[in-house]
Amino acid sequence: MTEDSQRNFRSVYYEKVGFRGVEEKKSLEILLKDDRLDIEKLCTFSQRFPLPSMYRALVWKVLLGILPPHHESHAQVMKYHKEQYSDVLHALEVIRFISDATPQIEVYLYMHRLESGKLPRSPSFPLEPEDEVFLAIAKAMEEMVEDSVDCYWITRCFVNQLNSKYRDTLPQLPKAFEQYLNLEDGRLLSHLKACGAVSTLPYELWFKKCFAGCLPESSLQRIWDKVVSGSCKILVFVAVEILLTFKIKVMALNSAEKITKFLENIPQDSSDAIVSKAVDLWHKHCGTPVHSA
Amino acid sequence: MAQQASVGELLSMLDSPLLGVRDDVTAVFKENLNSDRGPMLVNTLVDYYLETNSQPVLHILTTLQEPHDKHLLDKMNEYVGKAASRLSALLLLGHVVRLQPSWKHKLSQAPLLPSLLKCLKTDTDIVVLTTAVLVLVTMLPMIPQSGKQHLHDFFDVFGRLSSWCLKKPGHVTEVYLVHLHASVYALFHRLYGMYPCNFVSFLRSHYSMKENLETFEEVVKPMMEHVRIHPELVTGSKDHELDPRRWKRLETHDVVIECAKISLDPTEASYEDGYSVSHQISARFPHRSADVSASSYVDTQNSYGNATSTPYSTSRLTLNTPGQLPQTLSSPSTRLLAEPPQATLWSPSAACGMTTPPTSPGNVPPDLSHPYSKIFGTAGGKGTPLGTPATSPPPAPPCHSDDYVHLSLPQATAPKKEERTDSARPCLHRQPHLPNDRGLEELHGGKGSVTLSDLPGFLGDLASEEDSIEKDKEEAAISKELSEITTADAEPLVPRGGFDSPFYRDSLPGCPRKTLSASSSTQGTSANSEPLNSSLDKPGPDTPKQAFTPIDLPCGGTGESPAGNRERQASLEASILTPSPCKIPPQRGVGFGSGQPPPYDHLFEVALPKTAHHFVSKKTEELLKKAKGGAEEDVPPSASPVEVLDRLVQQGADVHSKELSRLSLPSKSVDWTHFGDEIRTLRNQLLLLHNQLLYERFKRQQHALRNRRLLRKVIRAAALEEHNAAMKDQLKLQEKDIQIWKISLQKEQARYSQLQEQRDTVVTQLHSQIRQLQHDREEFYNQSQELQTKLADCRNMIAELRVELKKANNKVCHTELLLSQVSQKLSNSESVQQQMEFLNRQLLVLGEVNELYLEQLQNKHSDTTKEVEMMKAAYRKELEKNRSHVLQQNQRLDTCQKRILELESHLAKKDHLLLEQKKYLEDVKLQARGQLQAAESRYESQKKITQVFELEILDLYGKLEKDGLLRKLEEQKPEAAEAAEERLDYCQDGCSDSVTGHNEEAPGRNGETKPPRPSSARGGGGSRGGGSSSELSTPEKPPNPRAGPFSSRWETAVGEPASGTPATVGSLPSSESFLGMKARELFRNKSESQCDEDGLTVGSLSETLKTELGKDSGVEARPPPALDGPLPPAPKPDSVGQLRIMDYNEAQLEHS
């Protein structure tokens, strides 16, 4: 652990006193200095701490496999990606599938579909549910990542990860959600059950779209840090925390529709707190991830 | 004005006969007085009183409170100034002053006093003068210190009036002069008592004048005979007398008593404090003394006083008769000493209780004495003559008569004195039961004429007389007696001796007695005298009864005791009753002469309130009962005898006026002027008498006050004395104790000193002992020290010895060990010796044998030695040779070993290098893989793009065909169209119909499809480099039946039929190789997109593909979109290189 020895010895006390993330940037920089990036460490780091925004795109790209762990090849790989992006874009333009007026996220969607070979015959084809997920994520991602190439690639890989890596765990999340909600606040859960709102909760929004469109991007990216780094359970805790935060309002509502409607449009102002609490909750229930090394 | 009117109404209502109304109105007035501070109401009241003599108004006026006193005094001053109203104003003043209001000290400052004095100096009306003098005398003790500025006025007044007594200026009636004389006498006493020095000096200066000498001789000198030398004359001075500090300590009654003390006159004098006057007299004349005492208390009247007087008199008697102790103490205390058993029971308090009743009139709070004051007022108002009877000292009869009376009484009582002392109590006890008539009889008995046996008869006489007198009255038969009395009274009155001594006792002459008794019996015993007496006696005698009963000794002579008692009582009653008759003789003379009833007044005193009530309810039929009930009802229980007397007087006056009116009517024409004159004189006399009575009453109150206080003091003194005695006893006892203690103390001290000495000796002894012991101790200590050092030395020695012992032991052990060793050695050496012996023997044997052999050898020695030497040399050389050889060998071995070490380190280095290399390789591999992946993905996308493009193109073609353009093309190159169609169909590979179409063509092309196989094999062989890899990997790969055809097909489609297929097929399963990875991905994509249906019939598909391949070869030249053709090969060499590297790697691994 050379990195740890190089770290500020006060970091332990910072955390004790309650300052978080003082040393994160530095340690992340140390991590990123390695020639061959240690993906596992990056994962652990990203699960433990929120990523500094200036490194977020890089880390995500590395974690999502867009960039290889070697710095040397980054430039070349990115060049390839750019070319690929422009080629696909060009192709879509050539076949007049998109125009300049087409929204960027749809462009991403068609590019994704093209690359996955599922391009519909015409743009007027109705969207499938997964397309909507993609669109929501792309929309959120567009806010987070400036470069369109990066954005496209990250979105694509993110969605791919959801579809591949989390294919089995995502359907389990509602059950886990109920379980943890019961642990945290049994009355709330019973209220929800009494209202019959448990089944109608916006699970798709929460777990499939990973809260894209539900929370503002600034807080969303902190959740996605964890999702990207391989833990989709954080979604459960975010959902639980949302319910706990708006407990009073939810308790006041009696019908499932109202609850669902409210939860689909929760106020944005307290999202940061929700995310922080959710992360704490996650750490509490699942333990703080540690370096496996 | 309305208020004025209402006041008038109220005033008139005051005199209403209804008690309730009176009380209410009085209350209203009092309220007004309390609230109103103005002089109006008081003035009105005074006016009204002077007009009507209303009793309630008098009551209100006498009880005025502080703020109103000024108005009252002013108003009275005003009236005193006027000659007409002077008398009544003075009377009012007298009433007010006698009650001693709280503001009495203001009297001296009030203008009233000067005007009073002025009136005294100037007025010529003897009635006014007498009244004024009495008022002054009453007032003097109240204002002792402040009266000093008027001192000379007082003296002037005295001088004037004393000369008046002699000169009788104008036509003053002799009768009045008596009164005046008495009042002047009182003034004399007062002035002499209060201001002796000043007064004496005044007398000296005033009577040194010639013109006054006669007055002095006639008037003042007799007065001086009745006073002692005042102690102040010796000790005091003029200034001292007037010193306010002197008076500050004295209350009014103190002053009065002070004055009485210096009097030798038994009527005036007090018996206090060893003033021996009275007691001397009483010693000589016990009865007289009793009388005196009685008179002093009772001169104002009532049988009550009578009752109270009895214990006193008896006490005095007992004092005198047994003569046990000199009478230096006052009667109760003497009694105490004289008769201890009784003393305990007949306590001073009892005496006090007996004496208390007389005090009531003065001291009863005005509110309570309402009825009394009422009566008082009426008495004062109505009957001017009524007030007088009791007060004024009666004209003094000659001394001898006095003696006679007193001597006569003892004659009767003397034999029974002894009994009486004891029997007095039972008698008293019985007294209440005695009918009042008897009292009346005794009154006569007082004359000495009535005996017990005569009593019943006398009673009867009285009864008859009473009736007759009543009749007399009715018939106005008084005139006869009047003349008698006037003559009888004229005698004692005329001589100067009458003035000399005011002993009323002398007024007991026989002549008036009869009328007196008659008149008394008329009223007193009329019908209800008995109950009256009993009821009257109740309060008085009851107390003595309580007091005496315990001592109630059974009288030896019961028969005698009542007699004695009666006798005594008789004397007492006489003494009590006498005053009034005595005082009144002149009046009576006149009164009877004029047919006036005033004389009755004095009989009323005996008859008491019952008779008064009898008069009130005269006209009711049941006299006895009603009188009793009525009296009890009407007169409040607190009604004092004084009130009763007043009422009596009033009633008498009423009767008198009635009579008068009755008389006057017929006699108006007859001799009216003379009659009127008489009446006036009588009235005046009555008034004077009343004044005097009131004055005396006042004095009595003062005495009572004094008495009570003295009694209290006496009690306290007695108690204190007792206490003192006890204390003294205690003191003595304690002193004795102290003595004893002192003695014992001395003893103890002696003992103590002895003990101390002993102790000292002991201490010294002990000290010496201690010193010795200490010395011893030190010695012992030293010894012990020495011993201890010795002990230490010994211990050291012991330790040393022990060490030595140990050492010795060690040595012993060692030596033992050595010994054992030595013994062992010895044994060994023994055995060795044995062996040696044995060996020696052997040696000997062997030596012998050797000698034998040597002999033998010498025999054989000659040829063997050279040979042996040669051999030895050869052997030596051989040995050296071998040695060097070994050396060489060793050196070689060393070098070899070094070489081996070197090589080994080299080897390790190499291994390390290899590892690094491997790592690096892996790294690079990873890097390349990343890049490759990117490239792959790009490639994939490119493929997708081309796919899309193809799709698009085909779409477009389709459109063209549909547009009919295709037809022209059909004609020109139908095959191309076919191919295009086929392509299109192929693109929609899933469509079965197109497949069938292909299948139709397939048989024809089957031949064509065969050649590619070998070619592919050839391609595999052609690419030798790749082949090596494939060869290497082949053993690991099972042929993928599904993927194979597809890949081949796509390879061919791209235009790389020969080399691609086998290589990919070979590399597919190997996960390490990039080619394999790529192929897998490709296949996966394929399978994802379109392989679903491919797994149906592998065989048929392979067939179709084979045909296609064949067709491809034909088509290959044609398709323009094969632009990307050169692109795929570009990565190929890389991949191959990579493969090679990998292979090398594997080979290396294998090597290692």
Side-chain angles (χ1 to χ4, degrees):
Chain A
M1 285 277 161
T2 48
E3 301 96 309
D4 276 3
S5 62
Q6 282 165 26
R7 279 177 65 182
N8 190 344
F9 67 90
R10 300 180 202 86
S11 57
V12 187
Y13 305 104
Y14 286 145
E15 276 169 32
K16 240 181 199 175
V17 175
F19 298 132
R20 283 187 192 168
V22 174
E23 288 294 290
E24 272 121 54
K25 198 174 158 192
K26 211 171 180 184
S27 51
L28 183 63
E29 276 166 1
I30 291 163
L31 278 180
L32 291 176
K33 252 184 221 163
D34 282 351
D35 182 29
R36 207 185 129 191
L37 296 170
D38 193 333
I39 309 269
E40 215 163 277
K41 277 183 190 170
L42 280 175
C43 270
T44 314
F45 180 88
S46 148
Q47 292 200 2
R48 279 181 74 167
F49 312 107
L51 293 173
S53 52
M54 61 182 294
Y55 294 114
R56 177 169 282 126
L58 176 63
V59 174
W60 279 14
K61 278 194 276 184
V62 171
L63 289 178
L64 287 171
I66 298 162
L67 284 179
H70 293 277
H71 288 290
E72 294 168 18
S73 46
H74 278 185
Q76 201 187 351
V77 169
M78 270 327 285
K79 202 184 93 196
Y80 289 159
H81 284 320
K82 264 181 200 163
E83 280 171 5
Q84 188 179 344
Y85 175 79
S86 55
D87 285 345
V88 174
L89 195 65
H90 177 72
L92 282 173
E93 280 170 356
V94 165
I95 61 167
R96 282 172 283 178
F97 215 91
I98 56 166
S99 64
D100 290 340
T102 316
Q104 195 66 32
I105 49 168
E106 279 181 30
V107 171
Y108 294 152
L109 176 67
Y110 292 133
M111 286 169 76
H112 173 64
R113 303 218 61 169
L114 187 148
E115 288 206 71
S116 57
K118 287 189 269 180
L119 192 69
R121 291 307 299 267
S122 90
S124 55
F125 262 53
L127 291 172
E128 290 171 43
E130 49 184 339
D131 292 340
E132 285 186 13
V133 172
F134 185 90
L135 281 178
I137 292 171
K139 187 151 193 257
M141 204 63 85
E142 200 182 8
E143 297 288 323
M144 297 181 210
V145 187
E146 287 143 25
D147 187 21
S148 56
V149 179
D150 284 349
C151 181
Y152 168 67
W153 276 100
I154 291 169
T155 310
R156 192 187 143 193
C157 292
F158 189 81
V159 172
N160 275 341
Q161 196 180 28
L162 285 182
N163 287 336
S164 56
K165 197 177 174 185
Y166 301 141
R167 176 180 285 183
D168 297 332
T169 46
L170 281 177
Q172 313 288 329
L173 293 184
K175 272 188 189 172
F177 164 73
E178 278 181 43
Q179 181 199 339
Y180 286 116
L181 186 61
N182 192 28
L183 281 179
E184 287 297 317
D185 196 335
R187 276 181 58 223
L188 191 60
L189 182 66
S190 54
H191 173 73
L192 289 175
K193 277 182 178 166
C195 294
V198 180
S199 54
T200 62
L201 289 173
Y203 290 131
E204 189 177 329
L205 173 68
W206 288 351
F207 301 140
K208 287 205 176 153
K209 294 186 186 172
C210 296
F211 295 98
C214 179
L215 296 171
E217 281 69 28
S218 56
S219 11
L220 195 61
Q221 55 195 7
R222 284 168 62 199
I223 304 171
W224 285 4
D225 281 345
K226 321 293 176 193
V227 178
V228 165
S229 61
S231 164
C232 61
K233 247 188 175 178
I234 182 71
L235 300 172
V236 174
F237 291 103
V238 174
V240 168
E241 193 55 47
I242 284 171
L243 277 180
L244 289 177
T245 308
F246 299 107
K247 179 186 171 186
I248 298 163
K249 284 181 184 170
V250 171
M251 292 292 271
L253 297 170
N254 284 323
S255 78
E257 295 156 28
K258 279 184 188 170
I259 291 173
T260 312
K261 208 173 178 188
F262 171 74
L263 288 176
E264 277 170 357
N265 300 297
I266 56 166
Q268 309 265 306
D269 45 5
S270 54
S271 58
D272 261 327
I274 291 173
V275 172
S276 304
K277 282 186 194 165
V279 171
D280 288 341
L281 207 63
W282 176 53
H283 285 168
K284 183 178 128 194
H285 283 286
C286 298
T288 314
V290 274
H291 290 287
S292 53
Chain B
M1 282 299 107
Q3 198 192 349
Q4 201 77 310
S6 67
V7 168
E9 271 175 41
L10 283 173
L11 285 171
S12 60
M13 279 166 75
L14 263 181
D15 286 326
S16 90
L18 292 171
L19 269 180
V21 177
R22 270 194 208 186
D23 291 347
D24 291 344
V25 176
T26 314
V28 168
F29 272 112
K30 282 189 176 162
E31 247 175 60
N32 274 332
L33 285 170
N34 282 337
S35 57
D36 186 19
R37 296 181 138 259
M40 181 82 81
L41 191 56
V42 176
N43 290 348
T44 325
L45 281 170
V46 172
D47 288 342
Y48 183 75
Y49 171 71
L50 291 180
E51 261 175 53
T52 61
N53 277 331
S54 165
Q55 283 303 303
V57 176
L58 178 64
H59 169 60
I60 293 168
L61 285 176
T62 49
T63 55
L64 274 179
Q65 292 303 310
E66 196 76 59
H68 298 286
D69 59 325
K70 196 172 175 303
H71 314 311
L72 180 65
L73 289 173
D74 289 347
K75 192 72 183 166
M76 283 197 288
N77 186 28
E78 189 185 314
Y79 280 115
V80 167
K82 290 174 199 165
S85 55
R86 192 171 287 161
L87 180 59
S88 45
L90 284 173
L91 284 170
L92 175 60
L93 177 61
H95 285 305
V96 170
V97 165
R98 265 185 290 277
L99 278 178
Q100 300 200 39
S102 54
W103 39 269
K104 61 187 179 186
H105 58 280
K106 291 189 184 173
L107 283 169
S108 59
Q109 275 88 33
L112 186 60
L113 186 60
S115 58
L116 175 70
L117 289 170
K118 190 185 162 198
C119 149
L120 275 168
K121 282 183 205 165
T122 56
D123 205 304
T124 53
D125 184 358
I126 199 154
V127 179
V128 173
L129 281 176
T130 314
T131 312
V133 167
L134 285 175
V135 168
L136 182 63
V137 171
T138 315
M139 245 158 73
L140 269 178
M142 296 175 194
I143 47 169
Q145 81 277 25
S146 45
K148 71 175 178 181
Q149 67 256 39
H150 303 293
L151 196 59
H152 286 282
D153 294 331
F154 299 154
F155 294 156
D156 288 345
V157 168
F158 175 75
R160 175 171 179 250
L161 295 183
S162 57
S163 63
W164 256 61
C165 290
L166 195 66
K167 288 171 189 167
K168 302 169 222 166
H171 50 284
V172 181
T173 328
E174 286 279 339
V175 185
Y176 293 164
L177 275 181
V178 175
H179 291 280
L180 181 62
H181 190 78
S183 51
V184 170
Y185 180 67
L187 180 61
F188 169 80
H189 268 291
R190 186 68 77 237
L191 287 175
Y192 180 67
M194 285 175 75
Y195 315 104
C197 297
N198 286 297
F199 188 53
V200 166
S201 73
F202 160 76
L203 289 179
R204 206 177 287 148
S205 62
H206 190 262
Y207 292 107
S208 59
M209 286 181 277
K210 269 250 177 95
E211 67 268 19
N212 294 331
L213 196 61
E214 192 190 359
T215 319
F216 180 73
E217 286 291 328
E218 294 298 325
V219 181
V220 181
K221 203 176 171 187
M223 286 181 187
M224 289 178 75
E225 280 167 5
H226 291 283
V227 291
R228 304 182 304 136
I229 280 191
H230 199 293
E232 284 289 316
L233 287 173
V234 182
T235 59
S237 67
K238 280 186 184 180
D239 297 332
H240 176 65
E241 275 168 15
L242 301 174
D243 192 352
R245 274 173 298 177
R246 181 191 167 204
W247 300 111
K248 227 171 240 175
R249 285 178 288 110
L250 300 172
E251 286 173 43
T252 309
H253 60 87
D254 286 324
V255 178
V256 172
I257 299 302
E258 279 292 311
C259 296
K261 271 181 193 170
I262 47 101
S263 172
L264 286 170
D265 191 335
T267 57
E268 280 279 345
S270 125
Y271 299 100
E272 283 182 57
D273 302 343
Y275 286 90
S276 54
V277 189
S278 55
H279 108 246
Q280 277 172 0
I281 293 167
S282 64
R284 269 169 53 210
F285 310 111
H287 266 270
R288 203 187 103 178
S289 74
D291 296 339
V292 166
S293 67
S295 70
S296 67
Y297 283 103
V298 187
D299 47 359
T300 28
Q301 57 354 71
N302 70 17
S303 66
Y304 197 36
N306 173 14
T308 56
S309 71
T310 42
Y312 265 43
S313 59
T314 49
S315 76
R316 209 141 269 148
L317 285 169
T318 52
L319 278 177
N320 296 331
T321 39
Q324 287 176 342
L325 282 171
Q327 285 104 20
T328 45
L329 294 165
S330 63
S331 58
S333 55
T334 48
R335 259 197 85 87
L336 263 172
L337 293 170
E339 296 171 6
Q342 289 177 359
T344 52
L345 299 157
W346 189 76
S347 64
S349 66
C352 197
M354 289 190 293
T355 52
T356 34
T359 61
S360 50
N363 292 329
V364 170
D367 290 332
L368 293 173
S369 64
H370 176 73
Y372 153 65
S373 58
K374 237 189 288 171
I375 296 156
F376 199 65
T378 45
K382 271 191 182 174
T384 29
L386 295 181
T388 39
T391 25
S392 61
C399 287
H400 54 85
S401 69
D402 177 45
D403 286 348
Y404 154 71
V405 177
H406 286 282
L407 286 169
S408 71
L409 279 169
Q411 277 170 5
T413 53
K416 291 146 195 172
K417 266 180 194 168
E418 287 85 2
E419 287 93 347
R420 203 192 304 158
T421 51
D422 290 338
S423 65
R425 262 67 64 186
C427 299
L428 276 170
H429 179 214
R430 276 173 58 190
Q431 194 178 4
H433 306 293
L434 291 173
N436 195 25
D437 302 29
R438 227 176 272 173
L440 287 166
E441 287 168 16
E442 282 156 17
L443 198 147
H444 298 281
K447 268 165 34 177
S449 57
V450 182
T451 57
L452 261 178
S453 53
D454 295 334
L455 264 174
F458 190 74
L459 256 176
D461 286 348
L462 279 175
S464 63
E465 269 180 328
E466 160 192 331
D467 292 340
S468 66
I469 281 175
E470 274 185 353
K471 284 169 194 165
D472 282 347
K473 266 204 277 181
E474 306 278 322
E475 290 155 19
I478 311 154
S479 51
K480 274 185 200 171
E481 287 188 25
L482 184 81
S483 60
E484 276 182 32
I485 288 165
T486 41
T487 50
D489 278 358
E491 287 172 9
L493 280 171
V494 175
R496 276 172 288 158
F499 297 106
D500 288 350
S501 63
F503 291 150
Y504 57 82
R505 187 59 59 197
D506 300 305
S507 65
L508 282 168
C511 19
R513 184 55 50 192
K514 198 182 162 193
T515 52
L516 206 167
S517 64
S519 62
S520 73
S521 59
T522 49
Q523 258 94 18
T525 52
S526 51
N528 53 351
S529 56
E530 202 173 307
L532 278 178
N533 195 10
S534 67
S535 70
L536 272 171
D537 283 347
K538 250 178 215 164
D542 268 356
T543 39
K545 188 175 157 189
Q546 283 168 358
F548 294 132
T549 34
I551 328 152
D552 196 6
L553 299 174
C555 313
T558 38
E560 287 177 342
S561 60
N565 180 33
R566 259 168 228 160
E567 285 244 345
R568 186 184 50 81
Q569 258 192 335
S571 68
L572 291 172
E573 301 256 334
S575 69
I576 295 151
L577 292 170
T578 40
S580 37
C582 296
K583 285 171 214 162
I584 308 168
Q587 293 172 330
R588 200 188 293 133
V590 183
F592 279 142
S594 58
Q596 297 296 314
Y600 299 138
D601 291 354
H602 312 291
L603 294 170
F604 290 159
E605 287 181 283
V606 190
L608 303 163
K610 298 293 156 126
T611 32
H613 182 76
H614 166 67
F615 268 102
V616 172
S617 56
K618 210 175 181 183
K619 288 171 184 175
T620 55
E621 296 191 354
E622 299 168 11
L623 285 173
L624 265 170
K625 286 181 183 178
K626 243 202 170 175
K628 246 197 224 173
E632 276 160 15
E633 280 164 24
D634 288 354
V635 181
S638 64
S640 78
V642 183
E643 294 166 38
V644 174
L645 177 65
D646 280 339
R647 191 179 292 180
L648 195 69
V649 171
Q650 189 187 353
Q651 293 304 326
D654 285 348
V655 171
H656 159 248
S657 60
K658 267 186 214 163
E659 295 289 329
L660 191 69
S661 60
R662 216 187 294 165
L663 281 172
S664 61
L665 278 171
S667 62
K668 253 178 191 169
S669 54
V670 187
D671 201 21
W672 178 242
T673 49
H674 168 72
F675 203 62
D677 208 29
E678 286 290 315
I679 287 166
R680 203 177 58 244
T681 25
L682 277 173
R683 271 195 191 149
N684 283 342
Q685 259 191 331
L686 195 61
L687 180 68
L688 288 172
L689 278 172
H690 193 202
N691 274 346
Q692 219 139 15
L693 169 74
L694 288 175
Y695 167 63
E696 294 297 338
R697 198 186 284 168
F698 165 73
K699 276 211 301 193
R700 179 186 56 84
Q701 285 162 19
Q702 298 311 311
H703 278 283
L705 267 178
R706 174 91 179 159
N707 195 22
R708 226 185 291 157
R709 209 175 71 173
L710 287 175
L711 275 173
R712 198 172 62 235
K713 275 185 188 168
V714 162
I715 294 156
R716 205 177 289 160
L720 282 172
E721 244 166 67
E722 279 290 318
H723 192 234
N724 272 350
M727 294 293 269
K728 264 180 196 165
D729 284 352
Q730 273 188 344
L731 192 70
K732 266 179 197 164
L733 283 173
Q734 277 167 352
E735 267 172 11
K736 267 182 195 169
D737 279 355
I738 286 165
Q739 287 288 338
I740 292 164
W741 287 122
K742 268 183 189 164
I743 291 163
S744 62
L745 180 70
Q746 277 174 351
K747 277 181 191 168
E748 289 296 321
Q749 270 173 342
R751 228 170 67 189
Y752 171 73
S753 58
Q754 206 177 347
L755 283 173
Q756 204 150 15
E757 276 172 28
Q758 281 179 357
R759 191 186 68 93
D760 285 343
T761 51
V762 168
V763 164
T764 46
Q765 274 180 356
L766 287 172
H767 270 303
S768 59
Q769 266 185 355
I770 285 165
R771 232 171 286 141
Q772 212 170 357
L773 286 171
Q774 264 176 340
H775 188 65
D776 289 356
R777 193 183 67 91
E778 272 169 26
E779 277 177 16
F780 284 128
Y781 184 71
N782 289 337
Q783 279 180 357
S784 73
Q785 286 280 359
E786 280 172 30
L787 287 171
Q788 263 177 345
T789 49
K790 273 182 191 171
L791 186 71
D793 288 349
C794 287
R795 274 189 192 147
N796 285 342
M797 272 167 65
I798 288 165
E800 280 170 22
L801 286 172
R802 272 191 193 147
V803 170
E804 276 176 32
L805 186 70
K806 266 187 194 168
K807 277 180 190 169
N809 277 343
N810 284 347
K811 267 183 191 172
V812 169
C813 280
H814 193 62
T815 46
E816 270 178 6
L817 202 76
L818 282 177
L819 197 68
S820 65
Q821 280 176 348
V822 168
S823 62
Q824 224 169 1
K825 272 180 190 172
L826 196 69
S827 62
N828 281 350
S829 64
E830 273 173 5
S831 65
V832 166
Q833 251 176 348
Q834 279 179 351
Q835 274 183 349
M836 219 169 68
E837 279 174 17
F838 177 68
L839 284 173
N840 276 339
R841 243 174 269 161
Q842 269 189 340
L843 196 69
L844 279 177
V845 174
L846 282 172
E848 282 173 14
V849 172
N850 197 23
E851 277 182 16
L852 276 176
Y853 279 126
L854 271 173
E855 280 174 13
Q856 282 178 358
L857 229 152
Q858 273 171 355
N859 293 337
K860 301 174 184 176
H861 193 57
S862 53
D863 38 70
T864 53
T865 47
K866 274 185 182 173
E867 208 180 307
V868 168
E869 276 177 15
M870 287 292 281
M871 275 177 77
K872 270 188 182 172
Y875 281 137
R876 249 173 237 152
K877 276 178 183 172
E878 217 173 335
L879 193 70
E880 272 176 24
K881 239 191 203 173
N882 282 337
R883 269 185 192 157
S884 66
H885 194 69
V886 165
L887 207 73
Q888 265 183 339
Q889 287 289 338
N890 275 343
Q891 279 171 348
R892 268 188 204 168
L893 188 69
D894 281 350
T895 51
C896 282
Q897 271 175 344
K898 272 177 191 170
R899 177 75 183 156
I900 286 164
L901 280 173
E902 262 177 49
L903 285 172
E904 270 177 357
S905 67
H906 210 65
L907 191 68
K909 269 182 193 169
K910 286 240 165 151
D911 280 349
H912 195 64
L913 206 73
L914 268 174
L915 271 173
E916 277 182 1
Q917 283 282 340
K918 241 199 219 169
K919 264 188 195 170
Y920 176 72
L921 248 180
E922 197 71 36
D923 222 24
V924 172
K925 242 162 90 184
L926 269 175
Q927 195 179 345
R929 199 188 290 160
Q931 286 177 1
L932 199 67
Q933 235 171 343
E936 287 274 333
S937 76
R938 218 176 83 185
Y939 168 65
E940 283 296 322
S941 65
Q942 284 294 346
K943 269 202 293 189
K944 294 282 170 193
I945 289 164
T946 44
Q947 236 178 353
V948 169
F949 279 159
E950 277 174 15
L951 206 66
E952 189 69 27
I953 289 162
L954 284 175
D955 218 10
L956 289 172
Y957 280 148
K959 276 179 188 171
L960 280 173
E961 268 176 43
K962 276 175 190 172
D963 284 349
L965 285 170
L966 207 68
R967 270 167 216 162
K968 290 170 194 174
L969 284 171
E970 243 177 27
E971 290 163 17
Q972 291 169 355
K973 3 180 174 174
E975 286 187 11
E978 252 183 48
E981 217 173 332
E982 210 176 330
R983 175 75 62 167
L984 186 74
D985 285 345
Y986 174 65
C987 282
Q988 292 156 340
D989 205 23
C991 309
S992 54
D993 50 343
S994 66
V995 173
T996 51
H998 285 294
N999 285 344
E1000 285 169 6
E1001 288 175 36
R1005 282 177 197 172
N1006 262 344
E1008 280 182 44
T1009 47
K1010 267 164 194 169
R1013 270 199 188 192
S1015 77
S1016 72
R1018 246 188 297 125
S1023 60
R1024 252 320 35 157
S1028 72
S1029 78
S1030 68
E1031 270 170 20
L1032 277 167
S1033 55
T1034 35
E1036 303 160 316
K1037 49 176 173 183
N1040 193 335
R1042 207 168 41 144
F1046 282 105
S1047 65
S1048 64
R1049 188 191 61 149
W1050 280 108
E1051 267 353 295
T1052 51
V1054 169
E1056 209 180 57
S1059 67
T1061 357
T1064 47
V1065 165
S1067 66
L1068 241 183
S1070 141
S1071 57
E1072 286 111 326
S1073 76
F1074 283 107
L1075 276 174
M1077 287 271 284
K1078 208 174 78 177
R1080 204 171 48 176
E1081 252 183 50
L1082 274 171
F1083 289 141
R1084 201 174 57 193
N1085 286 344
K1086 275 289 113 60
S1087 65
E1088 271 174 12
S1089 57
Q1090 56 201 93
C1091 276
D1092 298 343
E1093 70 274 11
D1094 284 27
L1096 300 170
T1097 51
V1098 179
S1100 66
L1101 270 175
S1102 63
E1103 289 297 315
T1104 55
L1105 286 170
K1106 274 166 199 166
T1107 55
E1108 252 196 298
L1109 277 172
K1111 197 170 44 176
D1112 275 337
S1113 57
V1115 176
E1116 209 162 11
R1118 210 184 336 147
L1123 294 167
D1124 336 56
L1127 264 171
K1132 273 288 155 153
D1134 276 359
S1135 74
V1136 169
Q1138 275 187 338
L1139 281 170
R1140 234 181 239 145
I1141 290 164
M1142 201 177 67
D1143 287 346
Y1144 165 77
N1145 198 3
E1146 277 172 356
Q1148 276 243 327
L1149 280 168
E1150 269 174 39
H1151 273 282
S1152 62

